[in-house]
PDB file of all heavy atoms in Angstrom:
ATOM      1  N   ASN A 122     -50.584 -47.269 -13.516  1.00  0.00           N
ATOM      2  CA  ASN A 122     -51.020 -45.950 -13.093  1.00  0.00           C
ATOM      3  C   ASN A 122     -49.994 -45.426 -12.063  1.00  0.00           C
ATOM      4  O   ASN A 122     -50.030 -45.736 -10.876  1.00  0.00           O
ATOM      5  CB  ASN A 122     -52.422 -45.956 -12.475  1.00  0.00           C
ATOM      6  CG  ASN A 122     -52.929 -44.537 -12.247  1.00  0.00           C
ATOM      7  OD1 ASN A 122     -52.153 -43.610 -12.049  1.00  0.00           O
ATOM      8  ND2 ASN A 122     -54.238 -44.413 -12.210  1.00  0.00           N
ATOM      9  N   THR A 123     -49.047 -44.655 -12.563  1.00  0.00           N
ATOM     10  CA  THR A 123     -47.918 -44.180 -11.739  1.00  0.00           C
ATOM     11  C   THR A 123     -48.376 -43.367 -10.547  1.00  0.00           C
ATOM     12  O   THR A 123     -47.695 -43.344  -9.518  1.00  0.00           O
ATOM     13  CB  THR A 123     -46.961 -43.378 -12.595  1.00  0.00           C
ATOM     14  OG1 THR A 123     -47.671 -42.281 -13.150  1.00  0.00           O
ATOM     15  CG2 THR A 123     -46.362 -44.187 -13.696  1.00  0.00           C
ATOM     16  N   CYS A 124     -49.502 -42.719 -10.686  1.00  0.00           N
ATOM     17  CA  CYS A 124     -49.959 -41.817  -9.579  1.00  0.00           C
ATOM     18  C   CYS A 124     -50.646 -42.559  -8.447  1.00  0.00           C
ATOM     19  O   CYS A 124     -50.843 -41.970  -7.406  1.00  0.00           O
ATOM     20  CB  CYS A 124     -50.926 -40.806 -10.150  1.00  0.00           C
ATOM     21  SG  CYS A 124     -50.221 -39.831 -11.527  1.00  0.00           S
ATOM     22  N   GLY A 155     -54.587 -44.159 -15.809  1.00  0.00           N
ATOM     23  CA  GLY A 155     -53.307 -43.496 -15.539  1.00  0.00           C
ATOM     24  C   GLY A 155     -52.965 -42.541 -16.630  1.00  0.00           C
ATOM     25  O   GLY A 155     -52.767 -42.963 -17.817  1.00  0.00           O
ATOM     26  N   GLU A 156     -52.849 -41.307 -16.313  1.00  0.00           N
ATOM     27  CA  GLU A 156     -52.733 -40.243 -17.344  1.00  0.00           C
ATOM     28  C   GLU A 156     -51.450 -40.403 -18.202  1.00  0.00           C
ATOM     29  O   GLU A 156     -51.509 -40.095 -19.393  1.00  0.00           O
ATOM     30  CB  GLU A 156     -52.693 -38.887 -16.629  1.00  0.00           C
ATOM     31  CG  GLU A 156     -53.031 -37.677 -17.416  1.00  0.00           C
ATOM     32  CD  GLU A 156     -54.483 -37.696 -17.849  1.00  0.00           C
ATOM     33  OE1 GLU A 156     -55.317 -38.305 -17.170  1.00  0.00           O
ATOM     34  OE2 GLU A 156     -54.760 -37.136 -18.938  1.00  0.00           O
ATOM     35  N   MET A 157     -50.380 -40.903 -17.626  1.00  0.00           N
ATOM     36  CA  MET A 157     -49.124 -40.880 -18.357  1.00  0.00           C
ATOM     37  C   MET A 157     -49.006 -41.928 -19.432  1.00  0.00           C
ATOM     38  O   MET A 157     -48.414 -41.685 -20.474  1.00  0.00           O
ATOM     39  CB  MET A 157     -47.952 -41.035 -17.345  1.00  0.00           C
ATOM     40  CG  MET A 157     -47.819 -39.902 -16.351  1.00  0.00           C
ATOM     41  SD  MET A 157     -47.953 -38.244 -17.034  1.00  0.00           S
ATOM     42  CE  MET A 157     -46.466 -38.163 -18.003  1.00  0.00           C
ATOM     43  N   GLY A 191     -57.641 -40.385  -8.105  1.00  0.00           N
ATOM     44  CA  GLY A 191     -56.771 -39.188  -7.978  1.00  0.00           C
ATOM     45  C   GLY A 191     -56.309 -38.703  -9.314  1.00  0.00           C
ATOM     46  O   GLY A 191     -56.446 -37.530  -9.657  1.00  0.00           O
ATOM     47  N   CYS A 192     -55.695 -39.637 -10.082  1.00  0.00           N
ATOM     48  CA  CYS A 192     -55.163 -39.179 -11.355  1.00  0.00           C
ATOM     49  C   CYS A 192     -56.318 -38.715 -12.256  1.00  0.00           C
ATOM     50  O   CYS A 192     -57.340 -39.427 -12.425  1.00  0.00           O
ATOM     51  CB  CYS A 192     -54.390 -40.299 -12.041  1.00  0.00           C
ATOM     52  SG  CYS A 192     -53.378 -39.804 -13.445  1.00  0.00           S
ATOM     53  N   ASP A 193     -56.155 -37.555 -12.760  1.00  0.00           N
ATOM     54  CA  ASP A 193     -57.152 -36.726 -13.472  1.00  0.00           C
ATOM     55  C   ASP A 193     -58.558 -37.330 -13.663  1.00  0.00           C
ATOM     56  O   ASP A 193     -59.472 -36.998 -12.897  1.00  0.00           O
ATOM     57  CB  ASP A 193     -56.608 -36.408 -14.876  1.00  0.00           C
ATOM     58  CG  ASP A 193     -55.338 -35.527 -14.785  1.00  0.00           C
ATOM     59  OD1 ASP A 193     -54.725 -35.464 -13.724  1.00  0.00           O
ATOM     60  OD2 ASP A 193     -55.061 -34.878 -15.783  1.00  0.00           O
ATOM     61  N   SER A 230     -44.454 -30.851 -11.460  1.00  0.00           N
ATOM     62  CA  SER A 230     -44.679 -31.833 -12.514  1.00  0.00           C
ATOM     63  C   SER A 230     -45.469 -31.238 -13.673  1.00  0.00           C
ATOM     64  O   SER A 230     -46.280 -30.342 -13.479  1.00  0.00           O
ATOM     65  CB  SER A 230     -45.422 -33.052 -11.997  1.00  0.00           C
ATOM     66  OG  SER A 230     -46.457 -32.659 -11.124  1.00  0.00           O
ATOM     67  N   GLY A 263     -48.131 -40.507  -6.025  1.00  0.00           N
ATOM     68  CA  GLY A 263     -49.094 -39.395  -5.920  1.00  0.00           C
ATOM     69  C   GLY A 263     -49.322 -38.736  -7.252  1.00  0.00           C
ATOM     70  O   GLY A 263     -48.698 -39.059  -8.254  1.00  0.00           O
ATOM     71  N   THR A 264     -50.250 -37.840  -7.241  1.00  0.00           N
ATOM     72  CA  THR A 264     -50.623 -37.113  -8.483  1.00  0.00           C
ATOM     73  C   THR A 264     -49.721 -35.902  -8.714  1.00  0.00           C
ATOM     74  O   THR A 264     -48.936 -35.563  -7.842  1.00  0.00           O
ATOM     75  CB  THR A 264     -52.110 -36.643  -8.368  1.00  0.00           C
ATOM     76  OG1 THR A 264     -52.227 -35.864  -7.148  1.00  0.00           O
ATOM     77  CG2 THR A 264     -53.061 -37.795  -8.282  1.00  0.00           C
ATOM     78  N   CYS A 265     -49.843 -35.285  -9.832  1.00  0.00           N
ATOM     79  CA  CYS A 265     -49.025 -34.127 -10.164  1.00  0.00           C
ATOM     80  C   CYS A 265     -49.169 -33.110  -9.045  1.00  0.00           C
ATOM     81  O   CYS A 265     -50.256 -32.847  -8.551  1.00  0.00           O
ATOM     82  CB  CYS A 265     -49.482 -33.531 -11.506  1.00  0.00           C
ATOM     83  SG  CYS A 265     -49.149 -34.551 -12.897  1.00  0.00           S
ATOM     84  N   ALA A 271     -55.677 -33.133 -11.574  1.00  0.00           N
ATOM     85  CA  ALA A 271     -55.870 -34.015 -10.444  1.00  0.00           C
ATOM     86  C   ALA A 271     -56.094 -33.203  -9.165  1.00  0.00           C
ATOM     87  O   ALA A 271     -57.040 -33.436  -8.420  1.00  0.00           O
ATOM     88  CB  ALA A 271     -54.662 -34.957 -10.278  1.00  0.00           C
ATOM     89  N   THR A 545     -51.500 -28.836 -15.954  1.00  0.00           N
ATOM     90  CA  THR A 545     -50.155 -28.420 -15.591  1.00  0.00           C
ATOM     91  C   THR A 545     -49.572 -27.524 -16.686  1.00  0.00           C
ATOM     92  O   THR A 545     -48.468 -27.013 -16.531  1.00  0.00           O
ATOM     93  CB  THR A 545     -49.247 -29.633 -15.369  1.00  0.00           C
ATOM     94  OG1 THR A 545     -49.138 -30.329 -16.620  1.00  0.00           O
ATOM     95  CG2 THR A 545     -49.757 -30.558 -14.288  1.00  0.00           C
TER      96      THR A 545
HETATM   97 FE1  FES B 725     -51.571 -38.574 -12.814  1.00  0.00          FE
HETATM   98 FE2  FES B 725     -50.779 -35.933 -13.405  1.00  0.00          FE
HETATM   99  S1  FES B 725     -50.219 -37.846 -14.365  1.00  0.00           S
HETATM  100  S2  FES B 725     -52.140 -36.703 -11.919  1.00  0.00           S
END
Side-chain angles (χ1 to χ4, degrees):
N122 189 335
T123 57
C124 303
E156 201 67 27
M157 297 311 294
C192 192
D193 295 19
S230 43
T264 54
C265 293
T545 63

